[in-house]
Amino acid sequence: MAKEYSNGNQNSPAARTPPPPSPLRFSKFFQSNMRILITGGAGFIGSHLVDKLMENEKNEVIVADNYFTGSKDNLKKWIGHPRFELVRHDVTEPLLIEVDQIYHLACPASPIFYKYNPVKTTKTNVIGTLNMLGLAKRVGARILLTSTSEVYGDPLVHPQDESYWGNVNPIGVRSCYDEGKRVAETLMFDYHRQHGIEIRIARIFNTYGPRMNIDDGRVVSNFIAQAIRGLVYFYSTYAILSSIELFSYAIHLCSGESLTVQAPGTQTRSFCYVSDMVYGLIRLMEGDNTGPINIGNPGEFTMLELAETVKELINPEVEIAMVENTPDDPRQRKPVITKANELLGWEPKVKLRDGLPLMEEDFRLRLGVARKK
Ligand SMILES: NC(=O)c1ccc[n+]([C@@H]2O[C@H](COP(=O)([O-])OP(=O)(O)OC[C@H]3O[C@@H](n4cnc5c(N)ncnc54)[C@H](O)[C@@H]3O)[C@@H](O)[C@H]2O)c1
Ligand SMILES: O=c1ccn([C@@H]2O[C@H](COP(=O)(O)OP(=O)(O)O[C@H]3OC[C@@H](O)[C@H](O)[C@H]3O)[C@@H](O)[C@H]2O)c(=O)[nH]1
């Protein structure tokens, strides 16, 4: 008698049994426990996150980046590693891969770069985040968005905790970034509520450290590069033309390598060292809370105080110059980190005075300027 069910019958129990796993499942080839996508992983924070995640041998890391502000150089130690893949990809286009977690960082972070092509910045934040949420939905991945303190705009509440809704100009030159990130947060929560996607949102405050672009334009990288370049110009000229040192000093003053404090200089920021940031992001991804959660260092400094600190630590000779500011510059920023502390067991460890010299070393190497004995 013919078998009642055959494999060809789509309604048979046999046909409904899932197929056995690939015979390569237990082969000698590497099988990771966790495949992690990092968009924007060739950038400053992203590349440090790659370093940390690659330390775990059970992780396989894929970076997707269009290299607008990032660089393969930041990842050179991983290129060719069997657990690492680097893909040139713009997140405004869909990406079809299979991953377990997505750290979605892709977006220029420095004001001069995000203002360079504001329409593209909005597209990156909105379409890019939609695409990554679509990917998370298709494969059931958990997704973390690196949002920003800029969602608080020019805050009327100080310090800022996560319940504050912000004071953002919707039509200003910074809006592509600020409003772009606010929409990205909205999309994250709507995908969470509507489709059950597992989301995590970090609100990052000004972060600094090695590998920032030397011409990034943000305040810490500007001041460190200016202090080092100021030194090289002064000392090299001094060494060669010691008899006319006054002349060389005059040239040094005219060389533009003063610390450019944008007026009024009393505006404040809180600076987080990059290793603290990366640890916070991983704690958030691995914990149970959706966020948004502030991740930043609550130490608060005026830009004049920052300039004085850089001057003292790196180049006591360098001048401080007051220059014109840009529109909509927030007057104050300081995170409340109670949520990060209580929910993630996280707090920053590196003080500004300890982090600046670590960054100085990296900038000296890249600028080819040794510390003067
Ligand atoms: N560094 C900070 O102080 C800070 C503060 C708040 C939020 N953030 C957020 O953290 C993330 C990383 O910041 P960062 O300081 O490392 O900046 P970064 O500019 O060094 O890195 C951003 C990366 O994203 C890539 N990128 C930009 N647009 C892309 C696109 N359309 N498709 C694919 N890749 C793209 C860039 O090439 C770069 O590698 C950003 O989302 C930023 O908004 C950073
Ligand atoms: O050379 C400079 C550069 C900047 N500044 C001042 O330094 C302060 C900080 O400016 P930055 O360019 O470093 O960045 P901001 O803190 O304004 O925003 C940054 O932090 C939040 C992130 O989301 C963004 O990555 C970035 O926009 C501003 O008040 C600015 O006027 C200077 O005084 N001199």
Side-chain angles (χ1 to χ4, degrees), residues 110-141:
S110 166
I112 55 171
F113 288 100
Y114 68 63
K115 290 192 271 191
Y116 170 76
N117 184 345
V119 173
K120 178 66 193 254
T121 300
T122 301
K123 279 187 182 172
T124 296
N125 278 315
V126 178
I127 302 173
T129 303
L130 266 173
N131 282 332
M132 291 310 112
L133 281 161
L135 171 62
K137 180 175 167 222
R138 182 175 66 81
V139 301

Side-chain angles (χ1 to χ4, degrees), residues 360-369:
E360 179 195 352
E361 284 313 308
D362 170 66
F363 268 45
R364 279 187 184 287
L365 273 175
R366 286 193 280 150
L367 287 166
V369 184

